[in-house]
Amino acid sequence: MAASSIQPEDQSWPWWPLLPLYPYGRRATHFEELIPGEIWSLEQLQGVYYVAVPIRLTVVKVPGGLMLVNPLPPTGELRALIRTLESEHGPVCSIVLPTASGLEHKLPMGPLARAFPDADLWVCPNQWSFPLQLPLSWLGIPAARTRVLLDDGVPHPEVCEWISLGPLDLGVGCFQEVSCLHRPSGALLVTDALLGISSQPPEVFERDPSPLLFHARDRGDQPFDDTPENRRCGWARLVLFASYLRPEPLDVPGLLQVIRHAFRPGLRTARTHFGIYPFAWKPGWLDSANALMGDDQPRLQVAPVLERLVLPREREALISWLACVEQLKDVRWLVPAHYSAPLMFSTLQIVQLREQLMMRPWAPSEGNWEFLGSIDQTLLDLGVVPNASQS
């Protein structure tokens, strides 16, 4: 689907108020072939206040057609891209929601299922929602053709091997995701368990680099200057925000200072947030960002938010899962639902990551981690999350 032929209605997502994240009701989709003839990526942006990072639906070649993993909003553009793949590789025969808690994938599951009414539906066990435990049918997921991964079998066992991380008790629910090794491509498909971040801004920003240019500035009265350097600067700051929520090098200027730089000529548009830029960066912020990103290859890691807020007392469970993954004979690539893909993921990379996680401090509360640690401590004090591993 050529970018020049895309109309606003092709990117419309009317259900965005259910999860009101940027870019709200209009979702552009970036298409990329990850592993020739086997794995494809459909990426959209998701975030808050221009802190936007890529989120991925992965399309997998399976016997008889295609499998969709980690649903995304099925805009007209996204459906058209999948239809193009169907014309060459066969129909969508299964749709998989491999996470128990990821609303960003769970909410689009129903609309995606209706877009492909002949596909079998598979969901991770232990589905939950907060504050009310709602049945999946209330989210529009057809019960008659929905099965539970592992409990009711698995899709495409002739080419796919499925392995679970969790369930792990989070207090209000549990963390669980079921990853898939697609043997023909050697790709391990995960949702949130692991990711890789590159220092190069993802191509999904090409159509509208506004989030990058917004955060590349130091004050709200500065223009959006679209240069490669500013795109990289903005991306590095987005990575810091998304990883730590409030990283240590971030400063918050006073309200009067923010207002003084706002509403200047040339900035009185929603695209520039009317010049309101409530951030300032201390010296050394780039060193913090560089520690998360790779230049030659994306840096493989556990997302700091996942480590500190979701799995702060579950390092052993994650290491045990990695040990199981290490035994998979055909794994060569990693395809997460966020950031870069595919990542090199041979036995050597798996062993190195597992050893690194065993040796370094887990879920610290100092430096960039301080804000995340304070959230976790508050949840512990309120009794919302368990104070010890429940695995």
Side-chain angles (χ1 to χ4, degrees):
M1 192 173 188
S4 59
S5 66
I6 296 172
Q7 302 299 315
E9 57 269 21
D10 296 325
Q11 299 175 342
S12 174
W13 172 233
W15 297 105
W16 69 267
L18 295 175
L19 191 64
L21 299 176
Y22 175 87
Y24 313 112
R26 184 173 181 181
R27 306 291 177 97
T29 302
H30 171 71
F31 172 81
E32 188 172 342
E33 185 175 50
L34 300 183
I35 299 175
E38 300 285 354
I39 305 282
W40 299 265
S41 171
L42 298 170
E43 294 177 37
Q44 297 176 359
L45 288 175
Q46 176 180 284
V48 177
Y49 205 75
Y50 270 159
V51 179
V53 295
I55 181 170
R56 173 178 295 107
L57 180 156
T58 303
V59 184
V60 184
K61 174 67 176 174
V62 293
L66 300 171
M67 174 174 66
L68 310 183
V69 182
N70 290 312
L72 285 184
T75 62
E77 180 183 17
L78 184 139
R79 297 195 307 272
L81 291 166
I82 295 176
R83 299 296 185 198
T84 300
L85 290 174
E86 284 187 308
S87 67
E88 182 176 355
H89 299 282
V92 171
C93 47
S94 54
I95 302 173
V96 183
L97 173 67
T99 171
S101 54
L103 279 177
E104 68 272 26
H105 299 293
K106 188 181 302 188
L107 290 176
M109 178 75 168
L112 189 65
R114 290 192 295 275
F116 298 96
D118 296 325
D120 294 328
L121 310 178
W122 293 85
V123 300
C124 180
N126 299 297
Q127 293 291 320
W128 63 279
S129 57
F130 181 84
L132 297 176
Q133 181 66 30
L134 301 176
L136 292 179
S137 59
W138 285 31
L139 299 177
I141 300 175
R145 54 189 174 108
T146 299
R147 287 180 276 180
V148 178
L149 286 167
L150 307 179
D151 293 350
D152 298 328
V154 294
H156 315 294
E158 66 275 28
V159 294
C160 295
E161 188 167 348
W162 302 82
I163 180 171
S164 178
L165 172 57
L168 306 172
D169 183 25
L170 300 181
V172 295
C174 74
F175 174 87
Q176 185 172 8
E177 70 170 67
V178 183
S179 49
C180 170
L181 172 62
H182 180 245
R183 294 193 199 93
S185 65
L188 182 72
L189 314 179
V190 302
T191 306
D192 299 312
L194 298 171
L195 52 82
I197 306 179
S198 171
S199 60
Q200 292 291 337
E203 292 187 23
V204 68
F205 286 103
E206 284 297 321
R207 292 192 199 174
D208 184 7
S210 295
L212 304 178
L213 306 181
F214 179 85
H215 285 286
R217 302 172 304 160
D218 294 314
R219 299 198 315 265
D221 60 344
Q222 294 174 331
F224 281 22
D225 189 7
D226 191 0
T227 66
E229 293 77 15
N230 280 346
R231 289 193 180 201
R232 285 177 61 109
C233 174
W235 172 240
R237 290 174 173 176
L238 290 186
V239 167
L240 276 176
F241 270 123
S243 298
Y244 299 116
L245 304 186
R246 185 169 179 174
E248 191 276 333
L250 177 69
D251 197 8
V252 179
L255 179 61
L256 291 179
Q257 182 178 348
V258 172
I259 295 298
R260 186 168 66 247
H261 294 146
F263 304 102
R264 300 291 179 89
L267 297 173
R268 297 165 185 168
T269 66
R271 180 174 182 258
T272 63
H273 287 192
F274 302 97
I276 297 174
Y277 185 73
F279 311 114
W281 294 92
K282 304 174 187 176
W285 71 266
L286 186 56
D287 292 335
S288 293
N290 286 337
L292 294 166
M293 304 183 300
D295 288 326
D296 298 330
Q297 295 290 333
R299 188 178 298 276
L300 178 65
Q301 61 198 279
V302 178
V305 168
L306 183 76
E307 177 176 334
R308 195 62 191 82
L309 293 184
V310 181
L311 305 176
R313 288 158 288 279
E314 299 288 1
R315 171 163 56 177
E316 291 305 318
L318 183 62
I319 289 174
S320 296
W321 173 76
L322 280 172
C324 293
V325 171
E326 186 182 327
Q327 302 305 311
L328 299 175
K329 294 181 180 180
D330 300 319
V331 63
R332 299 187 299 276
W333 303 99
L334 179 72
V335 179
H338 303 274
Y339 292 99
S340 299
L343 310 170
M344 290 190 296
F345 200 60
S346 66
T347 300
L348 176 61
Q349 278 89 28
I350 299 169
V351 170
Q352 288 176 341
L353 177 62
R354 184 164 57 86
E355 291 177 348
Q356 175 196 16
L357 295 179
M358 292 172 64
M359 295 177 62
R360 70 165 175 81
W362 179 256
S365 296
E366 300 80 31
N368 287 312
W369 301 77
E370 182 177 356
F371 182 69
L372 296 176
S374 69
I375 296 176
D376 181 51
Q377 187 59 54
T378 298
L379 295 175
L380 282 170
D381 293 343
L382 294 173
V384 176
V385 298
N387 60 11
S389 172
Q390 303 293 312
S391 59

